[in-house]
Amino acid sequence: MITFDFDYYRPDTIEEAINVYKKITGQEKKAIYYAGGTEIVSMSRVNQLSFDSVIDIKAIPECNVIETKDDKLIIGSAVCLTRICDFGGYPLLGAVCRRIAEHTARDMITLGGNILGKIQYKEAILPLLLTDSKVTVAGTAGKSEKPIDRIFNEKPLLNAGELLVNIIIDKKYINNPYSHSKKTKQEKIDYPLVTIASVKNDDEIRIGFSGLCVYPFRLDIIFGNIDNTNPESEINNILNRVPAPIVNDILGSAEYREFVTRNLLIDLFNYYGGMN
Amino acid sequence: MIEFHDKSIIELYVNGDLKTVAARPADTLLFILRESLGLTGTKNSCGNGDCNSCTVLLDGWPVKSCLMLAVEAVGHEITTIEGLQDVPMQKAFVEKSAIQCGYCTPGMIINSHALTTIYPDASDEIIEEWLESNICRCTGYKEICEAVKSVINM
Amino acid sequence: MESRLAIGKNVIRVDAHDKAAGRTKYNSDVTDPSLLHCKMIVSQYAHANIKSIDTSEAMTAPGVQRVITGEIAQGILTGTFVEDRPPLAIGKVRYHGEPIAVVIANTELEAKRGAELVKIEYEPLPVLNSPSDSMKPNAFLVHENLANYRKMKECTPQPGTNIANNVRIRKGDMIKGWEESEVIVEEYLYLPQADHIALETRSVKAEIKPDGNIIIHSSTQGPYIIRKKLSRHFNIDTGKITVHTPMVGGAFGGKAAVQLEMIAYLASKAVGGREVILINTREEDMISSPCRIGLEASVKLGATKDGKIKAAQITYLVDCGAYSDMGAVMTKSIASDCTGPYNIENVYCDSLCVYTNHPYVTSFRGFGHSEYTAAIERTIDKLAKALNMDKIQLRLKNIAIPGDTTPTCSTLTKSNIGDLKKCLETLKVKLKWEEGEKVDINKDTVKCKGISCFWKTSSTPPNAASGAIITFSPDGFAHLSIGAVELGQGTKTAMAQILAERLKVDIKRVKVSMEINTSDNPEHWKTVASSTTYMVGNAVIEAADDVICQIKDISAIVLRCSPKDLEVSGGKVFLIDNPEKWIDITEVVHGYKYPNGNSIGGQIIGRGSFIMKHLSGMDENTGRGNPGPLWTVGAQGVEVLFNKKEYSYKIINAVSVIDAGTIINPIVASGVTMGGMSMGLSLASREAFIYDNNGIILNPNLRSYKPIRVDEEPEYIIEFIETPEVDGPFGARGLGEHGLVGMPAALINCLSTAAEKDLNRFPLTPELIWKTK
């Protein structure tokens, strides 16, 4: 049960959403955009979040599209993970999403919510980071297209009132070789100790990590640098480039996470190595 | 734009009936179903979206009513366990001895019923993918899987 | 064997249809606007002085009726063996989650809002985070007043220490035992606290009527115990207390504790007796209400070179948490069966109930047996390795058989113990033991097997009792009134089957009271210890025989014969030597009316009762005594695919072979056993409370505490050996907990073999295996 009160708005258009946000914040009140609600409701019930209004974006058509258009795949921010898995337009994204939470939760968790919420794992962003995806952001000045790393880099970077409308994935990457592996403490249904997603693009392997640090990140390596007879040196190189301390928590110690990551990277090298 | 402020009267379409209830925007759908509509077949267990005891159908898809606001459900069709009248899944759970304490049962049946409605030929992988949302503490899930498969093989 | 009507049949559960329809009402399925709602404020510290509680703001919040704190029950201490626990903390909190205050308000929302306004100032104190820490000579005392607490005579707390109970087993001659031992192995095992996670959280309604009668509605396994405890602690006649219990949404021992009932009673009292409801959130249910014991075990076994175990020296430190309650009782139960199902002539065991700053504990499926069994079986495996002997062979050589004695020197007979030899031999076949314990599958994967034996007796009080009453509807349906609670184990169905069998009627013509009302239903001690079928079943048989006798007496007059000439079957009473001559029981169960209107007989009401016999307490110095009427035994095994590179594993098969005597309902028995096995594997592989250094539980919800889900489940293979128990109803023994008991042991043995490491901690996560040297 959530003890604090708030107002609920379900706008039908982007403009309505932006305007109502502006109106609420103009009254010195806090508004948040609301999509799947799983995180907002579970945090609110234990008073880890507070706000005066939620703006439910699920009725906005642009936030609900999932379609291929020309050379782009467009996914609305309020599209739930189940739909992304079932749509199948981007196999790596589908594979990653299919391992987030569990099926019923995925009926509710949205792409936008997963990548902009408080949750530190944000696994769904990995395939987007790897493909230099773009996003459409709406604000008082209208809509604009930005690279994904302009809305998330270590932390969400949207300005107050800005609404993530959709994600635009360039189809040129979609059929590239890819891999995905998620390791948990013990369960299939759990947050990751480490999730690794990767895409091979020419001589480059782009690797996305979730769970290893308190935020997801991407590292690129040169395929030719991998020596399958001695993968250790390249693995050490990668671990040296990890941008933040390795997480040490109840899911696993930092040492164990490193062990798991090393195994995953060996698997990854073997996988791409086997393609030659 | 739909909007609700403070405690207001909302209309929910539940099990084929239009119901009028007073709800705060902060009230979860689970709370309103149980406390205001007396539909106590939908169970509260973890209150945190982890166990699926509170699963109901929203436009035919399973959702966790403990993580959904009641106002979010306005304009959608809600089905609770009370809305399933002797459907094959209920019979299968009885016949396959898939019920012990019965507390996970409504959520389990609702989810399984949606599964077999959406995927009448669901593979074992899909069955597992759907059922891994629900925690049952009494069984080893075996009879539950058997019940679901028996409906699929009908 | 005579052909049977209902016993041994896969009868559909009598509660199944309502449950499938979502129509079963559990305790908190109420929407009565006149109810007042309670919200607890629980401790944020594992150990702290409460410097102040400021309720002023909460008291004036909208809808709040009262805020109560521990002061309301000043001087009242509760418990089972030792009375050490105030219903609400006073002056000090001793575990994270301990209830401190309760806000009583008109609605759930107002109660929760009020609770957010209660301000508590703490002075944190150091914490004891494990039993071995609590046992250190310089450890502070969790209870300084232990010497002054009321205690039961069978309990031996040690004032000046953190030991709430100290149970000793002294059997045989240890000097001789070690002298005869050619090989000695030792093992230490640590098992953390965990939780029941019944999907229905505990809840209570309480009301004090204007005439002083007390009405409690509780989601409990022990409605009659609640009545006794409320009477004892609040000085109320038991006759004035009525406890109602509807269907219970899982319990696993956790709902045998009496905790919220006392808090709700105090809350109702504080608001003039109005009806209040208190429902645990999941978090409260996990840490504020009692959990499963933790255990630290040290086991030393000595054996001859040919594998005969000669001596066992055992120390069990039970982590009972901050209050002893059922922890002290389980300490005794663990001691009584401390060696596992092996005949060991010389046994020295100290089973200690140790206070820590953890949540307090209560019974958990297996009543301490799954915990200590892991330690014993791990040591047996080690012994097999040291002797270079087959693990099944070693066990077969030492299992307890009729004529042997238990650690408490109870003599085993053909009837009171099942056939473990047969269980083990069947396990060997079902687990395909001959394939080899460890087989390489590929470079990274091995397939491994692990086994365990177990036994368990009921550890009931020596005077535990049950009753049954049978009445009839005018059309001859038999209505059975019993005090056993339906928790999911199928007890109502089993009782219906027993009654149908005895009355020789179709089970559809038997109705069992589903809800319990302690004023109307005859008492059953508690629905725990897998003893309900045995106890209540015997009462039902006696009540059925009483009914049959009464039916025959009246019918004999009508049919002009002797009662002994008659038989009751299929709803008819007929002459044995002339079945053509009969009357329908509907003509006699409500009195027989002659054609002229004269009537005889009146309503037939059957009564039956059962009380344990020949049980006794345990001697303080040696442990001698008789803790239970029978032992259910079994052999269990698991098969695992282990990944040597990642230290991860997949349990592929789990096998149980249990001698539970006659099986009343095979499909339910196998379902309950499977559920127990699943729970045992879940506990062993993933479940534990995780504490930080300050004793704060870091995973008090199902996001971070993860019971097993469908995708992790192995194939289950369950076999029953049916050695009838002479005193059991139709030969049934206890069954319910047993599926769990040997599973953790089998898994830790299996993974130790697979990883070639001496694993000695739970839960068995890949990280733990990786980390173990």
Side-chain angles (χ1 to χ4, degrees):
Chain A
M1 170 166 278
I2 301 169
T3 53
F4 63 91
D5 279 319
F6 53 81
D7 295 331
Y8 174 85
Y9 298 88
R10 193 195 297 168
D12 298 308
T13 64
I14 293 170
E15 293 68 32
E16 272 185 351
I18 303 293
N19 288 338
V20 73
Y21 188 99
K22 202 172 148 192
K23 190 186 99 187
I24 297 159
T25 50
Q27 295 162 354
E28 305 278 293
K29 287 182 175 172
K30 186 175 170 193
I32 57 172
Y33 292 119
Y34 180 103
T38 54
E39 181 176 286
I40 293 175
V41 174
S42 54
M43 289 182 77
S44 297
R45 84 180 177 93
V46 288
N47 290 315
Q48 287 175 356
L49 269 187
S50 67
F51 43 83
D52 303 291
S53 294
V54 298
I55 302 168
D56 183 351
I57 63 163
K58 290 197 293 294
I60 299 172
E62 291 92 327
C63 296
N64 261 311
V65 293
I66 177 159
E67 59 181 4
T68 14
K69 212 173 178 180
D70 306 326
D71 55 350
K72 307 269 191 281
L73 171 62
I74 300 169
I75 306 176
S77 58
V79 172
C80 71
L81 303 186
T82 300
R83 273 182 73 199
I84 294 174
C85 298
D86 290 353
F87 180 73
Y90 180 9
L92 174 59
L93 184 62
V96 171
C97 290
R98 186 159 253 131
R99 286 298 313 276
I100 295 174
E102 30 74 14
H103 186 270
T104 307
R106 292 195 293 272
D107 291 347
M108 305 176 78
I109 297 169
T110 61
L111 183 59
N114 187 257
I115 66 181
L116 290 178
K118 303 276 183 201
I119 189 166
Q120 71 190 50
Y121 307 104
K122 304 184 195 312
E123 290 165 272
I125 206 170
L126 300 180
L128 311 178
L129 290 174
L130 301 182
T131 49
D132 299 326
S133 294
K134 302 212 164 27
V135 298
T136 307
V137 172
T140 41
K143 285 199 278 189
S144 60
E145 217 176 276
K146 299 180 179 181
I148 183 121
D149 59 6
R150 294 279 299 284
I151 67 153
F152 181 86
N153 189 350
E154 299 186 14
K155 57 181 187 292
L157 301 172
L158 281 181
N159 294 318
E162 280 186 329
L163 172 66
L164 175 65
V165 177
N166 60 32
I167 318 287
I168 303 158
I169 300 151
D170 193 329
K171 280 178 72 180
K172 76 178 177 193
Y173 295 109
I174 283 177
N175 295 318
N176 282 14
Y178 70 92
S179 76
H180 165 246
S181 192
K182 174 170 179 168
K183 294 293 173 190
T184 60
K185 180 180 185 174
Q186 177 75 296
E187 315 301 316
K188 180 175 171 203
I189 310 297
D190 202 352
Y191 296 129
L193 276 173
V194 186
T195 291
I196 286 184
S198 70
V199 170
K200 184 168 180 294
N201 191 42
D202 299 331
D203 193 36
E204 181 184 60
I205 299 175
R206 302 170 173 185
I207 311 172
F209 294 83
S210 160
L212 191 59
C213 303
V214 292
Y215 52 82
F217 58 91
R218 164 180 158 180
L219 290 177
D220 298 349
I221 60 169
I222 305 299
F223 181 58
N225 288 356
I226 302 170
D227 174 3
N228 270 333
T229 58
N230 178 23
E232 284 303 313
S233 67
E234 186 60 16
I235 290 174
N236 289 337
N237 282 340
I238 293 172
L239 288 171
N240 285 334
R241 289 164 62 202
V242 167
I246 295 179
V247 172
N248 185 17
D249 65 10
I250 62 169
L251 294 181
S253 64
E255 297 73 35
Y256 183 62
R257 271 193 171 82
E258 184 182 320
F259 167 75
V260 169
T261 306
R262 284 176 180 275
N263 273 338
L264 285 174
L265 288 171
I266 289 173
D267 290 347
L268 183 124
F269 294 173
N270 287 337
Y271 171 71
Y272 287 114
M275 283 177 178
N276 277 357
Chain B
M1 181 163 65
I2 293 173
E3 51 188 281
F4 297 104
H5 307 265
D6 307 322
K7 193 162 186 167
S8 33
I9 301 296
I10 64 170
E11 286 185 328
L12 292 177
Y13 198 67
V14 185
N15 299 333
D17 291 327
L18 197 61
K19 300 276 191 179
T20 306
V21 288
R24 299 156 61 227
D27 285 333
T28 61
L29 179 59
L30 173 64
F31 179 80
I32 294 299
L33 289 173
R34 286 177 57 86
E35 306 300 321
S36 304
L37 296 173
L39 295 169
T40 55
T42 304
K43 298 299 179 211
N44 182 18
S45 178
C46 73
N48 196 48
D50 301 320
C51 73
N52 251 29
S53 299
C54 67
T55 305
V56 299
L57 303 184
L58 194 82
D59 301 329
W61 282 86
V63 292
K64 297 164 187 285
S65 64
C66 74
L67 291 188
M68 175 169 271
L69 304 174
V71 289
E72 271 184 274
V74 170
H76 299 276
E77 280 183 38
I78 303 158
T79 308
T80 71
I81 187 72
E82 291 91 344
L84 301 187
Q85 309 269 342
D86 224 9
V87 298
M89 194 59 72
Q90 286 167 309
K91 285 186 194 154
F93 268 62
V94 170
E95 280 159 15
K96 298 289 175 189
S97 204
I99 300 169
Q100 288 189 30
C101 87
Y103 208 79
C104 77
T105 305
M108 199 70 90
I109 287 180
I110 277 279
N111 194 23
S112 306
H113 173 74
L115 162 63
T116 52
T117 307
I118 294 167
Y119 293 107
D121 305 315
S123 63
D124 288 359
E125 285 79 19
I126 292 181
I127 295 172
E128 188 168 288
E129 183 183 359
W130 280 58
L131 291 188
E132 69 197 8
S133 294
N134 294 60
I135 294 176
C136 167
R137 193 59 161 166
C138 294
T139 72
Y141 299 94
K142 188 173 170 182
E143 300 94 336
I144 293 169
C145 291
E146 281 170 7
V148 175
K149 286 175 191 172
S150 76
V151 172
I152 284 169
N153 293 331
M154 259 178 191
Chain C
M1 197 191 288
E2 60 181 307
S3 79
R4 282 172 169 167
L5 204 59
I7 299 294
K9 304 280 191 267
N10 287 329
V11 171
I12 286 188
R13 298 173 58 109
V14 295
D15 50 350
H17 287 95
D18 284 3
K19 285 177 174 174
R23 296 273 282 277
T24 300
K25 292 288 180 192
Y26 297 83
N27 198 51
S28 64
D29 290 340
V30 287
T31 53
D32 178 355
S34 71
L35 277 175
L36 296 178
H37 292 256
C38 297
K39 178 68 194 169
M40 295 192 291
I41 296 100
V42 305
S43 175
Q44 301 305 307
Y45 290 87
H47 194 204
N49 287 321
I50 301 172
K51 291 187 73 181
S52 66
I53 305 175
D54 179 0
T55 61
S56 56
E57 210 181 326
M59 283 292 282
T60 57
V64 171
Q65 298 283 342
R66 274 293 299 272
V67 183
I68 59 169
T69 63
E71 314 294 323
I72 197 165
Q74 189 79 44
I76 293 175
L77 290 172
T78 70
T80 300
F81 270 6
V82 184
E83 292 181 346
D84 52 16
R85 189 175 60 82
L88 294 169
I90 303 180
K92 188 187 236 191
V93 285
R94 296 183 174 88
Y95 70 93
H96 175 211
E98 182 168 1
I100 297 173
V102 182
V103 173
I104 308 143
N106 294 343
T107 66
E108 190 185 339
L109 175 64
E110 287 163 337
K112 195 175 172 198
R113 281 179 172 166
E116 288 168 0
L117 298 171
V118 173
K119 295 180 191 70
I120 299 174
E121 201 184 338
Y122 300 92
E123 179 186 37
L125 296 168
V127 302
L128 289 170
N129 227 350
S130 73
S132 46
D133 280 353
S134 300
M135 290 294 289
K136 286 180 182 156
N138 58 346
F140 66 83
L141 299 180
V142 178
H143 292 270
E144 302 91 338
N145 273 334
L146 186 53
N148 302 323
Y149 291 154
R150 277 202 298 193
K151 71 165 195 78
M152 305 296 131
K153 74 168 178 4
E154 56 264 58
C155 184
T156 50
Q158 315 276 293
T161 73
N162 285 310
I163 299 169
N165 195 10
N166 176 357
V167 189
R168 298 185 186 92
I169 298 290
R170 304 288 184 263
K171 179 188 173 189
D173 178 350
M174 291 309 290
I175 294 172
K176 181 166 161 276
W178 294 128
E179 275 173 5
E180 289 172 2
S181 298
E182 294 161 297
V183 177
I184 293 173
V185 291
E186 287 184 70
E187 178 71 342
Y188 162 87
L189 185 122
Y190 169 83
L191 186 143
Q193 285 187 332
D195 195 48
H196 307 80
I197 319 284
L199 279 189
E200 179 206 22
T201 63
R202 299 162 176 98
S203 68
V204 185
K205 283 188 286 175
E207 180 181 15
I208 306 166
K209 296 279 193 187
D211 59 9
N213 285 313
I214 314 246
I215 312 291
I216 304 284
H217 290 77
S218 176
S219 169
T220 181
Q221 294 172 264
Y224 300 89
I225 296 292
I226 293 170
R227 189 167 70 171
K228 282 185 187 146
K229 295 247 171 167
L230 287 179
S231 168
R232 177 175 173 87
H233 297 304
F234 302 108
N235 200 21
I236 313 159
D237 296 331
T238 49
K240 286 189 166 175
I241 304 168
T242 302
V243 182
H244 297 262
T245 299
M247 299 288 99
V248 171
F252 317 114
K255 288 174 179 165
V258 182
Q259 180 201 30
L260 300 185
E261 293 80 2
M262 295 192 241
I263 296 174
Y265 165 76
L266 290 166
S268 174
K269 198 173 169 197
V271 292
R274 286 184 63 185
E275 191 173 19
V276 302
I277 186 164
L278 171 55
I279 306 172
N280 268 352
T281 61
R282 173 57 57 193
E283 290 85 344
E284 288 161 350
D285 211 53
M286 289 180 73
I287 66 168
S288 295
S289 286
C291 63
R292 182 194 191 213
I293 62 167
L295 183 72
E296 286 185 65
S298 303
V299 180
K300 186 172 160 190
L301 294 180
T304 59
K305 272 186 191 151
D306 61 352
K308 184 74 194 122
I309 302 173
K310 287 291 174 181
Q313 182 162 342
I314 305 167
T315 307
Y316 293 130
L317 304 181
V318 172
D319 182 355
C320 74
Y323 299 102
S324 61
D325 206 318
M326 292 304 286
V329 187
M330 279 182 280
T331 303
K332 184 180 143 199
S333 159
I334 288 170
S336 73
D337 284 345
C338 66
T339 54
Y342 302 105
N343 178 42
I344 305 176
E345 287 160 19
N346 309 298
V347 181
Y348 184 104
C349 171
D350 284 326
S351 185
L352 306 176
C353 180
V354 183
Y355 289 123
T356 62
N357 291 113
H358 291 166
Y360 80 102
V361 303
T362 191
S363 44
F364 190 108
R365 201 173 202 172
F367 209 57
H369 285 59
S370 70
E371 296 85 343
Y372 85 74
T373 297
I376 291 293
E377 292 292 323
R378 190 72 211 95
T379 321
I380 300 257
D381 257 27
K382 251 184 148 168
L383 181 62
K385 199 175 167 191
L387 292 165
N388 196 20
M389 199 169 165
D390 177 76
K391 288 165 183 170
I392 289 184
Q393 218 39 52
L394 174 62
R395 285 171 171 86
L396 280 171
K397 194 151 198 158
N398 289 284
I399 52 176
I401 55 170
D404 294 340
T405 59
T406 72
T408 66
C409 298
S410 285
T411 303
L412 298 168
T413 68
K414 263 186 186 160
S415 170
N416 74 5
I417 186 162
D419 189 345
L420 184 54
K421 181 166 180 276
K422 208 165 165 188
C423 292
L424 259 171
E425 283 164 354
T426 310
L427 176 76
K428 193 172 174 176
V429 175
K430 294 288 164 189
L431 196 60
K432 302 193 175 107
W433 187 252
E434 301 298 346
E435 278 181 359
E437 259 189 276
K438 189 173 169 186
V439 179
D440 286 330
I441 299 296
N442 59 38
K443 182 167 71 68
D444 293 328
T445 313
V446 288
K447 190 164 83 173
C448 241
K449 303 178 204 290
I451 59 164
S452 169
C453 292
F454 71 82
W455 66 356
K456 185 183 177 296
T457 189
S458 64
S459 306
T460 38
N463 63 343
S466 310
I469 297 169
I470 300 165
T471 55
F472 288 88
S473 65
D475 52 5
F477 279 64
H479 291 258
L480 174 63
S481 170
I482 50 172
V485 182
E486 180 59 55
L487 317 162
Q489 82 284 44
T491 198
K492 305 285 186 183
T493 310
M495 292 308 122
Q497 287 176 268
I498 288 171
L499 181 54
E501 187 70 47
R502 202 64 168 191
L503 292 180
K504 299 198 180 93
V505 293
D506 189 320
I507 192 155
K508 293 199 181 78
R509 295 182 69 81
V510 171
K511 297 279 163 202
V512 187
S513 58
M514 299 303 278
E515 308 203 339
I516 307 294
N517 169 332
T518 57
S519 299
D520 295 349
N521 300 108
E523 178 162 336
H524 169 52
W525 163 59
K526 284 195 248 188
T527 307
V528 299
S530 307
S531 55
T532 307
T533 300
Y534 179 75
M535 294 175 66
V536 183
N538 272 320
V540 170
I541 285 176
E542 193 176 288
D545 289 347
D546 184 29
V547 158
I548 291 166
C549 188
Q550 293 180 52
I551 290 174
K552 283 181 181 173
D553 282 350
I554 303 301
S555 305
I557 297 168
V558 178
L559 295 169
R560 299 175 194 195
C561 61
S562 161
K564 68 177 189 316
D565 298 335
L566 296 172
E567 182 164 334
V568 180
S569 176
K572 294 185 174 66
V573 193
F574 53 87
L575 280 161
I576 295 167
D577 60 1
N578 181 12
E580 303 290 299
K581 201 164 178 196
W582 57 271
I583 56 170
D584 200 285
I585 64 159
T586 54
E587 293 190 60
V588 292
V589 292
H590 279 261
Y592 181 78
K593 192 168 129 191
Y594 287 97
N596 72 353
N598 292 174
S599 297
I600 57 166
Q603 273 190 63
I604 286 176
I605 301 171
R607 60 161 287 279
S609 73
F610 173 84
I611 190 160
M612 289 289 187
K613 67 181 180 201
H614 303 151
L615 301 192
S616 61
M618 284 161 63
D619 180 82
E620 198 177 308
N621 297 312
T622 64
R624 275 177 179 260
N626 197 7
L630 54 91
W631 280 260
T632 295
V633 294
Q636 296 181 299
V638 293
E639 191 170 35
V640 159
L641 288 177
F642 179 76
N643 183 315
K644 293 187 285 185
K645 190 181 93 185
E646 297 182 355
Y647 298 89
S648 59
Y649 59 93
K650 166 91 184 143
I651 307 167
I652 50 174
N653 285 305
V655 185
S656 284
V657 186
I658 302 178
D659 190 345
T662 305
I663 298 297
I664 306 282
N665 188 328
I667 197 170
V668 173
S670 126
V672 168
T673 301
M674 199 188 306
M677 293 166 73
S678 169
M679 185 179 266
L681 292 174
S682 184
L683 286 161
S685 59
R686 59 202 73 214
E687 293 184 42
F689 280 158
I690 304 170
Y691 308 92
D692 70 8
N693 291 335
N694 299 315
I696 300 299
I697 294 159
L698 301 174
N699 58 340
N701 56 55
L702 300 185
R703 188 70 52 90
S704 46
Y705 183 108
K706 319 272 295 182
I708 195 166
R709 290 177 190 256
V710 65
D711 52 280
E712 317 282 344
E713 291 283 7
E715 285 297 318
Y716 288 102
I717 300 158
I718 295 161
E719 291 284 320
F720 294 116
I721 306 293
E722 300 191 51
T723 307
E725 153 65 42
V726 174
D727 295 328
F730 298 101
R733 286 169 202 278
L735 184 69
E737 304 164 279
H738 305 90
L740 190 155
V741 175
M743 275 293 130
L747 187 63
I748 198 168
N749 278 342
C750 178
L751 290 171
S752 294
T753 306
E756 296 174 13
K757 292 182 175 196
D758 184 14
L759 301 175
N760 64 355
R761 288 178 84 86
F762 290 98
L764 297 157
T765 60
E767 178 168 3
L768 176 99
I769 304 172
W770 170 75
K771 214 162 56 182
T772 302
K773 296 296 167 211

